[in-house]
Amino acid sequence: IKVQIFEGAELEGVDFDGGLKAFFDLDALDKMASPLTARTFRAGDRLSPLGMEGRKKLKDIFIDEKIARGLRRNVPIIVSGTEILWVAGLRRSGAALVTDSTTRILVVECAREQAG
């Protein structure tokens, strides 16, 4: 997992190519109760997906995305306290979205492990 902070004039150089990257408004994250941490899937995990009302079980997201049961615990999950912000490469929540008024961006990038 790689983390970068961009602010001010640096914002022009941010590569917003998604994939295994998530972009967060750093000032909004600073207002959250807990620091960001990375962890793996836990039974009962729920996410409030961006653009959806309510919450969805991560198990259902993994099933929808056809992620094999044996691989689910290999997917990094970025959380603040108990709130899931991003399931790497799959879904993110609506928390700390980057907007036109954003002055600092936190970019979290996950790299896939290379075989061999």
Side-chain angles (χ1 to χ4, degrees):
I1 296 176
K2 179 178 160 184
V3 177
Q4 293 178 289
I5 296 173
F6 294 91
E7 55 187 303
E10 294 176 321
L11 294 177
E12 298 295 322
V14 176
D15 176 13
F16 284 99
D17 180 25
L20 291 176
K21 291 182 187 177
F23 306 90
F24 299 97
D25 182 320
L26 189 55
D27 295 318
L29 289 175
D30 285 344
K31 294 176 185 172
M32 297 184 91
S34 300
L36 294 186
T37 56
R39 65 169 176 83
T40 58
F41 170 70
R42 295 178 185 160
D45 274 346
R46 294 179 180 268
L47 170 72
S48 298
L50 177 63
M52 285 182 59
E53 293 289 325
R55 297 162 56 88
K56 187 168 184 172
K57 290 181 183 178
L58 258 58
K59 176 183 173 184
D60 292 339
I61 291 171
F62 288 138
I63 290 169
D64 293 347
E65 296 294 327
K66 298 178 178 38
I67 306 296
R69 186 176 299 173
L71 298 176
R72 294 175 189 173
R73 296 209 188 271
N74 295 335
V75 177
I77 298 171
I78 305 300
V79 299
S80 175
T82 59
E83 183 175 358
I84 296 174
L85 301 177
W86 183 45
V87 181
L90 298 176
R91 295 277 194 299
R92 72 156 284 158
S93 76
L97 291 175
V98 174
T99 65
D100 291 338
S101 62
T102 298
T103 58
R104 298 186 307 154
I105 295 176
L106 177 74
V107 181
V108 180
E109 181 176 8
C110 292
R112 286 199 168 104
E113 187 174 68
Q114 299 298 319

mmCIF file of all heavy atoms in Angstrom, residues 68-94:
data_model
loop_
_atom_site.group_PDB
_atom_site.id
_atom_site.type_symbol
_atom_site.label_atom_id
_atom_site.label_comp_id
_atom_site.label_asym_id
_atom_site.label_seq_id
_atom_site.Cartn_x
_atom_site.Cartn_y
_atom_site.Cartn_z
ATOM 1 N N ALA A 68 -13.445 -15.031 -5.294
ATOM 2 C CA ALA A 68 -13.495 -16.345 -4.655
ATOM 3 C C ALA A 68 -13.363 -16.223 -3.143
ATOM 4 O O ALA A 68 -12.629 -15.357 -2.642
ATOM 5 C CB ALA A 68 -12.378 -17.231 -5.206
ATOM 6 N N ARG A 69 -14.065 -17.069 -2.444
ATOM 7 C CA ARG A 69 -14.061 -17.035 -0.975
ATOM 8 C C ARG A 69 -12.645 -17.074 -0.412
ATOM 9 O O ARG A 69 -12.324 -16.366 0.531
ATOM 10 C CB ARG A 69 -14.876 -18.198 -0.437
ATOM 11 C CG ARG A 69 -15.052 -18.159 1.061
ATOM 12 C CD ARG A 69 -15.928 -19.264 1.561
ATOM 13 N NE ARG A 69 -17.250 -19.117 0.958
ATOM 14 C CZ ARG A 69 -18.227 -19.997 1.079
ATOM 15 N NH1 ARG A 69 -18.036 -21.095 1.765
ATOM 16 N NH2 ARG A 69 -19.392 -19.795 0.513
ATOM 17 N N GLY A 70 -11.776 -17.868 -0.990
ATOM 18 C CA GLY A 70 -10.405 -17.993 -0.504
ATOM 19 C C GLY A 70 -9.551 -16.755 -0.727
ATOM 20 O O GLY A 70 -8.509 -16.601 -0.105
ATOM 21 N N LEU A 71 -9.985 -15.863 -1.616
ATOM 22 C CA LEU A 71 -9.216 -14.654 -1.912
ATOM 23 C C LEU A 71 -9.720 -13.417 -1.165
ATOM 24 O O LEU A 71 -9.051 -12.390 -1.149
ATOM 25 C CB LEU A 71 -9.247 -14.369 -3.418
ATOM 26 C CG LEU A 71 -8.622 -15.431 -4.311
ATOM 27 C CD1 LEU A 71 -8.806 -15.057 -5.774
ATOM 28 C CD2 LEU A 71 -7.154 -15.611 -3.970
ATOM 29 N N ARG A 72 -10.872 -13.496 -0.557
ATOM 30 C CA ARG A 72 -11.497 -12.320 0.064
ATOM 31 C C ARG A 72 -10.653 -11.716 1.176
ATOM 32 O O ARG A 72 -10.644 -10.515 1.364
ATOM 33 C CB ARG A 72 -12.891 -12.674 0.581
ATOM 34 C CG ARG A 72 -13.825 -13.017 -0.551
ATOM 35 C CD ARG A 72 -15.161 -13.492 -0.078
ATOM 36 N NE ARG A 72 -15.911 -13.997 -1.238
ATOM 37 C CZ ARG A 72 -17.070 -14.605 -1.155
ATOM 38 N NH1 ARG A 72 -17.647 -14.793 0.032
ATOM 39 N NH2 ARG A 72 -17.663 -15.035 -2.235
ATOM 40 N N ARG A 73 -9.929 -12.530 1.899
ATOM 41 C CA ARG A 73 -9.099 -12.012 2.989
ATOM 42 C C ARG A 73 -7.786 -11.430 2.481
ATOM 43 O O ARG A 73 -6.984 -10.937 3.256
ATOM 44 C CB ARG A 73 -8.852 -13.093 4.035
ATOM 45 C CG ARG A 73 -10.153 -13.525 4.699
ATOM 46 C CD ARG A 73 -9.984 -13.998 6.106
ATOM 47 N NE ARG A 73 -11.219 -14.574 6.619
ATOM 48 C CZ ARG A 73 -12.164 -13.874 7.236
ATOM 49 N NH1 ARG A 73 -12.026 -12.600 7.406
ATOM 50 N NH2 ARG A 73 -13.257 -14.456 7.686
ATOM 51 N N ASN A 74 -7.561 -11.466 1.170
ATOM 52 C CA ASN A 74 -6.375 -10.850 0.570
ATOM 53 C C ASN A 74 -6.659 -9.439 0.048
ATOM 54 O O ASN A 74 -5.738 -8.756 -0.381
ATOM 55 C CB ASN A 74 -5.857 -11.708 -0.593
ATOM 56 C CG ASN A 74 -5.355 -13.053 -0.134
ATOM 57 O OD1 ASN A 74 -4.950 -13.219 1.009
ATOM 58 N ND2 ASN A 74 -5.375 -14.018 -1.020
ATOM 59 N N VAL A 75 -7.910 -9.028 0.049
ATOM 60 C CA VAL A 75 -8.290 -7.711 -0.458
ATOM 61 C C VAL A 75 -8.115 -6.684 0.658
ATOM 62 O O VAL A 75 -8.770 -6.782 1.699
ATOM 63 C CB VAL A 75 -9.747 -7.709 -0.965
ATOM 64 C CG1 VAL A 75 -10.159 -6.316 -1.421
ATOM 65 C CG2 VAL A 75 -9.926 -8.725 -2.085
ATOM 66 N N PRO A 76 -7.239 -5.675 0.460
ATOM 67 C CA PRO A 76 -7.062 -4.645 1.500
ATOM 68 C C PRO A 76 -8.329 -3.803 1.664
ATOM 69 O O PRO A 76 -8.996 -3.468 0.685
ATOM 70 C CB PRO A 76 -5.917 -3.777 0.961
ATOM 71 C CG PRO A 76 -5.281 -4.577 -0.119
ATOM 72 C CD PRO A 76 -6.334 -5.485 -0.664
ATOM 73 N N ILE A 77 -8.616 -3.475 2.901
ATOM 74 C CA ILE A 77 -9.761 -2.615 3.228
ATOM 75 C C ILE A 77 -9.221 -1.448 4.040
ATOM 76 O O ILE A 77 -8.533 -1.641 5.043
ATOM 77 C CB ILE A 77 -10.815 -3.405 4.036
ATOM 78 C CG1 ILE A 77 -11.344 -4.571 3.180
ATOM 79 C CG2 ILE A 77 -11.948 -2.497 4.481
ATOM 80 C CD1 ILE A 77 -12.218 -5.534 3.934
ATOM 81 N N ILE A 78 -9.536 -0.237 3.594
ATOM 82 C CA ILE A 78 -9.097 0.978 4.283
ATOM 83 C C ILE A 78 -10.255 1.458 5.145
ATOM 84 O O ILE A 78 -11.370 1.655 4.652
ATOM 85 C CB ILE A 78 -8.670 2.073 3.279
ATOM 86 C CG1 ILE A 78 -7.590 1.549 2.309
ATOM 87 C CG2 ILE A 78 -8.209 3.320 4.019
ATOM 88 C CD1 ILE A 78 -6.324 1.075 2.971
ATOM 89 N N VAL A 79 -9.973 1.638 6.436
ATOM 90 C CA VAL A 79 -11.007 2.019 7.393
ATOM 91 C C VAL A 79 -10.567 3.212 8.236
ATOM 92 O O VAL A 79 -9.388 3.478 8.395
ATOM 93 C CB VAL A 79 -11.374 0.843 8.330
ATOM 94 C CG1 VAL A 79 -11.905 -0.336 7.548
ATOM 95 C CG2 VAL A 79 -10.205 0.420 9.177
ATOM 96 N N SER A 80 -11.557 3.909 8.762
ATOM 97 C CA SER A 80 -11.352 4.917 9.798
ATOM 98 C C SER A 80 -12.218 4.466 10.957
ATOM 99 O O SER A 80 -13.451 4.527 10.877
ATOM 100 C CB SER A 80 -11.770 6.303 9.310
ATOM 101 O OG SER A 80 -11.678 7.237 10.367
ATOM 102 N N GLY A 81 -11.573 3.962 11.992
ATOM 103 C CA GLY A 81 -12.331 3.380 13.097
ATOM 104 C C GLY A 81 -13.073 2.161 12.601
ATOM 105 O O GLY A 81 -12.471 1.230 12.075
ATOM 106 N N THR A 82 -14.398 2.169 12.696
ATOM 107 C CA THR A 82 -15.206 1.051 12.198
ATOM 108 C C THR A 82 -15.804 1.342 10.828
ATOM 109 O O THR A 82 -16.456 0.464 10.251
ATOM 110 C CB THR A 82 -16.347 0.729 13.184
ATOM 111 O OG1 THR A 82 -17.170 1.887 13.338
ATOM 112 C CG2 THR A 82 -15.799 0.296 14.539
ATOM 113 N N GLU A 83 -15.604 2.542 10.296
ATOM 114 C CA GLU A 83 -16.178 2.905 8.998
ATOM 115 C C GLU A 83 -15.256 2.485 7.855
ATOM 116 O O GLU A 83 -14.109 2.911 7.775
ATOM 117 C CB GLU A 83 -16.438 4.407 8.905
ATOM 118 C CG GLU A 83 -17.098 4.796 7.606
ATOM 119 C CD GLU A 83 -17.472 6.260 7.525
ATOM 120 O OE1 GLU A 83 -17.257 7.003 8.491
ATOM 121 O OE2 GLU A 83 -17.973 6.654 6.457
ATOM 122 N N ILE A 84 -15.788 1.649 6.978
ATOM 123 C CA ILE A 84 -15.033 1.208 5.807
ATOM 124 C C ILE A 84 -15.119 2.303 4.750
ATOM 125 O O ILE A 84 -16.208 2.735 4.357
ATOM 126 C CB ILE A 84 -15.577 -0.120 5.264
ATOM 127 C CG1 ILE A 84 -15.373 -1.215 6.309
ATOM 128 C CG2 ILE A 84 -14.901 -0.481 3.939
ATOM 129 C CD1 ILE A 84 -15.995 -2.548 5.952
ATOM 130 N N LEU A 85 -13.940 2.771 4.297
ATOM 131 C CA LEU A 85 -13.881 3.829 3.299
ATOM 132 C C LEU A 85 -13.637 3.297 1.892
ATOM 133 O O LEU A 85 -14.120 3.862 0.923
ATOM 134 C CB LEU A 85 -12.774 4.825 3.657
ATOM 135 C CG LEU A 85 -12.909 5.506 5.012
ATOM 136 C CD1 LEU A 85 -11.719 6.405 5.266
ATOM 137 C CD2 LEU A 85 -14.203 6.281 5.097
ATOM 138 N N TRP A 86 -12.851 2.199 1.796
ATOM 139 C CA TRP A 86 -12.505 1.687 0.469
ATOM 140 C C TRP A 86 -12.182 0.209 0.547
ATOM 141 O O TRP A 86 -11.399 -0.217 1.408
ATOM 142 C CB TRP A 86 -11.309 2.450 -0.080
ATOM 143 C CG TRP A 86 -10.859 2.088 -1.463
ATOM 144 C CD1 TRP A 86 -11.647 1.904 -2.562
ATOM 145 C CD2 TRP A 86 -9.519 1.893 -1.909
ATOM 146 N NE1 TRP A 86 -10.870 1.603 -3.650
ATOM 147 C CE2 TRP A 86 -9.561 1.588 -3.279
ATOM 148 C CE3 TRP A 86 -8.281 1.944 -1.268
ATOM 149 C CZ2 TRP A 86 -8.414 1.346 -4.025
ATOM 150 C CZ3 TRP A 86 -7.148 1.700 -2.008
ATOM 151 C CH2 TRP A 86 -7.221 1.407 -3.377
ATOM 152 N N VAL A 87 -12.789 -0.559 -0.327
ATOM 153 C CA VAL A 87 -12.434 -1.956 -0.531
ATOM 154 C C VAL A 87 -11.603 -1.936 -1.804
ATOM 155 O O VAL A 87 -12.131 -1.712 -2.894
ATOM 156 C CB VAL A 87 -13.678 -2.852 -0.672
ATOM 157 C CG1 VAL A 87 -13.279 -4.304 -0.866
ATOM 158 C CG2 VAL A 87 -14.596 -2.694 0.533
ATOM 159 N N ALA A 88 -10.306 -2.107 -1.663
ATOM 160 C CA ALA A 88 -9.349 -1.864 -2.746
ATOM 161 C C ALA A 88 -9.756 -2.509 -4.064
ATOM 162 O O ALA A 88 -9.990 -3.704 -4.136
ATOM 163 C CB ALA A 88 -7.961 -2.349 -2.337
ATOM 164 N N GLY A 89 -9.852 -1.665 -5.075
ATOM 165 C CA GLY A 89 -10.156 -2.112 -6.418
ATOM 166 C C GLY A 89 -11.606 -2.456 -6.673
ATOM 167 O O GLY A 89 -11.966 -2.773 -7.799
ATOM 168 N N LEU A 90 -12.469 -2.384 -5.631
ATOM 169 C CA LEU A 90 -13.857 -2.797 -5.809
ATOM 170 C C LEU A 90 -14.855 -1.667 -5.580
ATOM 171 O O LEU A 90 -15.584 -1.298 -6.493
ATOM 172 C CB LEU A 90 -14.185 -3.970 -4.879
ATOM 173 C CG LEU A 90 -13.392 -5.247 -5.112
ATOM 174 C CD1 LEU A 90 -13.743 -6.296 -4.058
ATOM 175 C CD2 LEU A 90 -13.651 -5.784 -6.500
ATOM 176 N N ARG A 91 -14.915 -1.144 -4.372
ATOM 177 C CA ARG A 91 -15.900 -0.115 -4.021
ATOM 178 C C ARG A 91 -15.313 0.840 -2.999
ATOM 179 O O ARG A 91 -14.449 0.475 -2.221
ATOM 180 C CB ARG A 91 -17.151 -0.728 -3.392
ATOM 181 C CG ARG A 91 -17.971 -1.615 -4.258
ATOM 182 C CD ARG A 91 -18.921 -0.814 -5.121
ATOM 183 N NE ARG A 91 -19.958 -1.584 -5.742
ATOM 184 C CZ ARG A 91 -19.792 -2.568 -6.593
ATOM 185 N NH1 ARG A 91 -18.598 -2.972 -6.880
ATOM 186 N NH2 ARG A 91 -20.810 -3.177 -7.139
ATOM 187 N N ARG A 92 -15.859 2.053 -2.980
ATOM 188 C CA ARG A 92 -15.498 3.001 -1.932
ATOM 189 C C ARG A 92 -16.772 3.607 -1.381
ATOM 190 O O ARG A 92 -17.823 3.543 -2.003
ATOM 191 C CB ARG A 92 -14.517 4.067 -2.433
ATOM 192 C CG ARG A 92 -15.118 5.101 -3.362
ATOM 193 C CD ARG A 92 -14.346 6.399 -3.370
ATOM 194 N NE ARG A 92 -14.627 7.141 -2.162
ATOM 195 C CZ ARG A 92 -13.862 8.081 -1.650
ATOM 196 N NH1 ARG A 92 -12.765 8.419 -2.236
ATOM 197 N NH2 ARG A 92 -14.189 8.713 -0.546
ATOM 198 N N SER A 93 -16.648 4.209 -0.218
ATOM 199 C CA SER A 93 -17.800 4.861 0.399
ATOM 200 C C SER A 93 -17.879 6.297 -0.123
ATOM 201 O O SER A 93 -16.992 6.754 -0.837
ATOM 202 C CB SER A 93 -17.659 4.858 1.920
ATOM 203 O OG SER A 93 -16.714 5.833 2.324
ATOM 204 N N GLY A 94 -18.916 6.985 0.284
ATOM 205 C CA GLY A 94 -19.074 8.380 -0.101
ATOM 206 C C GLY A 94 -18.366 9.339 0.840
ATOM 207 O O GLY A 94 -18.449 10.547 0.677
#
